[in-house]
Structures are given as C-alpha cells and as structure tokens.
Amino acid sequence: MTIKITMFNYKWGSILLFLVCLTSTDLQAQIKLNNLSVGSSVWFRTYNTPDERVALVNPPAENGELNPMLFTSIIAEIALGEKYNLVSRVGYGTNDYSTIFTVGNLIRTESIAQVLIPLSLGINYNFISSENNNADNYSKKAHFFAGAGFNRLLIQHSISRVLSSGPGGFNDRYFVGNDFGVYIHSGISKPLSKSFDLILDARYNAGYYIHRVYPDELNGQYLRKRISANGIEAGLRLVFNFNNK
Amino acid sequence: MFFSKSRSVTFLKVSKPLIFLLSVGIVFFACAPMDVDNIQPFQYIIKDFDGKITLGIANKKKPALTDFEPGGIELPPATLELVEDILTAILRDNLKDENENILQDFAFLRDPVAMDNRLKDIDVNDIDNILDTTIPLEDIFADIFFLVEDVPGLFRYLPTYIPPKIDGIIFNFYDIPPKVKGRIIPVLLNDYDPSKLVAVNSSLVTPCAVAVDAAYNVALGNLILESERQIAEAGIFYDGIRVEIADIKNDRFDYLSDTLQGSIDELRRLGIAINIASENLLREGKINEEIYYGIKLFMVAFLVKSRQNLIMFNDTVIAAIEKIADEDIERVNQAYNDFLDDLEDLFGEAMQDLNGIRNSALNNCHNQGGGS
C-alpha cells in the first residue's frame, strides 16, 4: 500500500507529532517552558515597495513612507539548555489604508482594514555570566540577549468601497493570506522580582507578502503586487518566569 | 534487531528535544504562502443614454397612382344616326333625304369599273378579314379608305379613335422621363466609429471610457435596429404598393383584351348588319344602285377605319399601360427614397444627440484627481 504525501497530510501529521511531543511527560522533563510574556511594541514599517494602498484604486506610485503599527504580543520562551531559548511569538496589530479616486462626478473611496498577525519562531542567546547565573543573584541583575528567527505573517484585509453615487459600493469583503519573513532580535532583560522580568527589546523584521490586484483595465486578470514587511520593531514586555527557583 | 532495547531508549531520550524542535518547525513552515486576494475590478455603469435616444418615425407616404383613361373607339353621333337610318330603312319606305345625299357623296368617290364588282361581292368573310388586324388588308379596301379620308365631310362619319390619357394628358409615346431607381440606406456607421475617440486625453480613465462606449454602442445598436425595423416595414409597405401596381397593370391588360374583343364583335355586327341592310334595301327597291354602292363604300371605309382604330387602340394602350406601371413604380421608388431621406435626417438628429451624450459622458470619465 502506498501513502500519498500531500500538503494536508504533511501539515496535520506534523501537528499531531507536535501534540504528541507536548503531552509527553518524558519530553516535558527535558524541555521546560522558561517564561511567558505579554507586551506592546511599535513596528516602524519602512517600505521598499508601495504600501498596502497598492491594492486599492488610484494607488500611489512611490514607495510607502514610515508607517508605525502598534502590536500586542504574547511570547513564550522554552529553555534549550542554560543560555539558549527557543522563542515563539504571536502578535496582533491593525491599521487602516484608503484611497480616493474621482472620475467626473463619481467619487470612489476604497479602504483596507488590516489585521496583521506575525508568528515568530527563533532562538535567543542570553549573555549570562556565571555569577549572574547564580540562582541567588539571578533576579537581581539585568542581562542582554540576542537572536534570530523566522516570521510568518498572517494577513487579513477587510476591503470596503464607498461611491458618491450609483451601484458598486460594499462593506467588509474579507481576504486572507500569509507569507514568510526573517528577523534579528536583541534586548535587555531586567529582573523585577523572582517571578517577573521587564524586557526592552528590538527586532528588525524583513520580508514581504503578495497582494493580488485586479486593475479596472485588465478585465478580471490580476497582478501580484509585493508589499514590504520590513522595519524595526521596539517594545516593552512583562515576563513571568516559570523557572524561578 | 538493528537496535538493542537499551540503545533505543537512550536514542529516544537524547533525540526527543530534537524531535520537538523539528515538529515545531514543521508546523511553522507547513503551509505554503498564500497571496492576499482582492476585490474584482470596478464596473462602470453608464446610464446616461438610458431612455434618451429615440429614433423618430420616418414618414411613409403612399404616392398617388397615375390616373388612366384608356380611350377607345367611338362612333360619332352623325355616324350612329346614319347607321341607324340604314339599318331601319327597311321598315320604312326609304332612307332619310340627308342620309341619301351623304351616301350619294360616298358613291361619287368610287371608280365603278374597278370597284363595283368587288363591293357587290362583299360578304361576312370580307368583313372578318378587314377587322382581323393580323391579315393584310386588300388593296381595294385601302384605296376606298384613302378616298374617304381625303374628304373631311365624309371622313367625319367614320369611327373615331379616342387616345388614352395619363393623368388627364393625352399619352405621348415620345415623352418618357428617366426612371427613378430605389436605393438602399447608406452605411452611416462609418462616420461614428467610437474607437476614434477613446483615450485621446491622458486623463481619460480607460475603463470608464470603455463603459461609456459600451453603453454608446448599445444605444447606437438600438438606433440601427430601429432604423432597420423602419426600413423593413417601409419595404413591406412599398412592396405592397408595387404588387398593387402590378395587379392594376394586369387588370388593365385584361380590360384591354376584353375591350378589343368587344369592339371587334360590335364593329363586325354593325358591318354585317349594314351589308345585309344594303342588300335588302336594293332588293326591296327602296334604294337605287348609286345609294347601294354608297352604303357599301361607307361600310368599307367604316370597317377599315375601325381596323385602323383597333390597331392604334391596341398599340397605344399597351404602351400606356406599360408606361403607367413604370411611372407608378417610379413614384413608389421616389416615395421610398423620400422615406429614406426622412429616416436619414431623423437618424442624423438622433446621432447628434447620441454623440452629445457620449461626449458629456466621456467628459465625466476624466480623472479629476483625488488624494489617496
């Protein structure tokens, strides 16, 4: 009997493997959830492409300008030994974009309500001295860390069109997509107590995603427009340490 | 066994974190990237033309058909009186004096040596032969007619030919105007190619202009359909009149045929009756030989003139019927052309309106700017 390998099997098989690993007490003994943190950050998106308005009518031709987006994130770190952490992150940010196109007496306004969910997976290296590694002093001294990893951007666009007159307007048509990116990451962690740390960190995100555009002129055919996901992101987060003994 | 049990347990203990990392990575990278889809292109809906372009109804006039009076062969009152006197004299003692004088004058014209024997021998066959236009006329009968023709006082007693009249005017063979031919409506669209006007200005929004031209073409198509409908309707209308004209033409030929045969029958009857009357009157002694030959000579001239009238009537009326049919067809063609002229004018007016609306709609397709 042959087994047909499909994307579906591959995906659900890996999820099943992941769940098996999580429920394995033996594995839990070796891999420990180090901390969990919640924080906010500002992603100063800089574009080497036109921004999201490229997906709307009458898009600007030039590259997008600095576009700060506020993100809320949950980050979990799993200790992979004394100085390495596996860092995973789920963020949530929104933004709005709109364009106006006036043809004669017809004013067409199109807008995007964007939800951007960056998923990150990477490894951090903690610059911890042996003295600092002492359990007694651990919570009393700050340390630096640095790392790198992959981003996965989940994008949801709710697109609306408003017309000054006539038919053709609508509200909230939802479209989703995703793509990959990379990041480098560094920061400083300041212990506040045995259980809580405060982290000030920054990362540089790099990547893009593809948006389809159906120009009026192309009669239903679409173009694939690349939208940059570059930019420095800086934030502050509160960390709860599980490994606080 | 490839692995011992103890070595397998050790491998699993060491590799479980790697398996975990591998599975996390697989989950993270499992799904392929997906483009963010988008809304479909905007469809410009142009209603500027709706209900605003109509083609007027071109006037279809039925032309007045040609008035025709066929004419014919007529017996003047003096002839009728003379013939009636000859035919009824047998019932009386003699002819009226004035008619005897007239017949005496006829008799004076003849050459007795050359003609009397032939006049005396005239019978029904001779009468039929004189009236039969397909048979050559005997020279002696033609000579007698020419003798009478030269004497107007006697010639007036012969049958007269009434020529046909067309619209009250005596038909003239030699005055036929050139024919008017029907035509077809010219192709008007050559002047109204929408593609010539698209995107002449860089600020013209092409999809909007395309939508305008799509709506324009629909309106133009409706105009053309309506004009074609009117042309087809007019074609049926005027074809009906042409059929009517052809029917009238056939009826006239039937009338001509009937009239010719009726005239021949009547003239033959009169000729036979006069011939018999002349014989009876002579035999009864109610007329002398001079009057007898006068009657015979009158009868021959009467029949030859009738033959001549029959030929003229036949030829002229046939030509007149053909000419009338042609002229009526020309009138129909002219009326059809007038209809097309009217339709063209209406079409041109509608096109002016259509192009005006199109220009206005295109002006509304210019990008007026607008911030983003």
Side-chain angles (χ1 to χ4, degrees), chain A residues 14 30 55 98 152 212 224, chain B residues 13 26 31 35-36 38 372:
Chain A
S14 59
Q30 296 179 58
S98 71
R152 181 123 204 200
R212 290 181 181 174
R224 299 178 79 233
Chain B
K13 281 182 180 177
I26 289 171
C31 301
D35 295 355
V36 182
N38 207 335
S372 56

Side-chain angles (χ1 to χ4, degrees), chain A:
Chain A
M1 187 177 76
T2 58
I3 298 172
K4 188 178 180 184
I5 305 296
T6 65
M7 183 61 76
F8 179 83
N9 293 333
Y10 170 71
K11 181 173 69 176
W12 289 105
S14 59
I15 289 171
L16 183 62
L17 179 62
F18 179 65
L19 292 175
V20 168
C21 290
L22 283 181
T23 54
S24 165
T25 52
D26 192 22
L27 182 64
Q28 285 170 5
Q30 296 179 58
I31 300 173
K32 296 174 182 174
L33 183 60
N34 198 30
N35 61 54
L36 193 67
S37 59
V38 178
S40 290
S41 59
V42 179
W43 182 353
F44 298 95
R45 294 184 61 187
T46 54
Y47 295 89
N48 56 4
T49 65
D51 62 22
E52 273 75 356
R53 291 174 296 175
V54 75
L56 302 176
V57 66
N58 195 25
E62 63 275 14
N63 289 347
E65 297 175 348
L66 181 65
N67 175 25
M69 281 183 73
L70 182 65
F71 280 84
T72 301
S73 302
I74 298 173
I75 297 174
E77 295 186 16
I78 295 171
L80 298 174
E82 291 185 357
K83 295 188 177 181
Y84 289 93
N85 285 351
L86 178 68
V87 183
S88 62
R89 173 225 190 179
V90 178
Y92 180 89
T94 63
N95 210 346
D96 296 317
Y97 308 88
S98 71
T99 59
I100 296 175
F101 190 39
T102 304
V103 175
N105 53 15
L106 177 67
I107 302 170
R108 179 162 37 136
T109 305
E110 292 183 352
S111 57
I112 292 176
Q114 182 185 53
V115 174
L116 201 57
I117 299 175
L119 302 179
S120 303
L121 189 66
I123 292 177
N124 278 358
Y125 177 80
N126 295 298
F127 296 94
I128 303 168
S129 64
S130 55
E131 182 185 344
N132 212 12
N133 205 22
N134 186 319
D136 293 336
N137 298 325
Y138 181 73
S139 60
K140 295 178 182 177
K141 293 188 177 177
H143 72 274
F144 291 96
F145 60 86
F150 295 96
N151 281 332
R152 181 123 204 200
L153 295 173
L154 307 181
I155 307 107
Q156 176 188 276
H157 283 173
S158 169
I159 301 180
S160 302
R161 177 187 288 154
V162 177
L163 299 175
S164 60
S165 62
F170 51 81
N171 289 322
D172 296 336
R173 291 194 177 163
Y174 290 94
F175 302 95
V176 296
N178 69 79
D179 217 315
F180 290 103
V182 293
Y183 73 90
I184 55 174
H185 187 204
S186 69
I188 183 169
S189 174
K190 169 64 178 170
L192 298 177
S193 68
K194 278 191 173 181
S195 299
F196 291 97
D197 294 348
L198 187 66
I199 288 181
L200 178 65
D201 64 352
R203 64 174 71 199
Y204 182 78
N205 299 301
Y208 62 86
Y209 66 95
I210 302 294
H211 210 304
R212 290 181 181 174
V213 178
Y214 297 85
D216 294 344
E217 301 81 14
L218 293 187
N219 196 28
Q221 292 182 317
Y222 65 82
L223 304 174
R224 299 178 79 233
K225 297 286 186 180
R226 180 182 288 197
I227 297 177
S228 169
N230 294 345
I232 293 174
E233 183 179 359
L236 199 63
R237 53 189 163 100
L238 186 65
V239 182
F240 177 76
N241 291 306
F242 295 103
N243 184 21
N244 54 10
K245 290 180 182 178

Side-chain angles (χ1 to χ4, degrees), chain B residues 25-39:
Chain B
I26 289 171
V27 169
F28 191 80
F29 291 104
C31 301
M34 184 172 77
D35 295 355
V36 182
D37 207 352
N38 207 335
I39 53 177

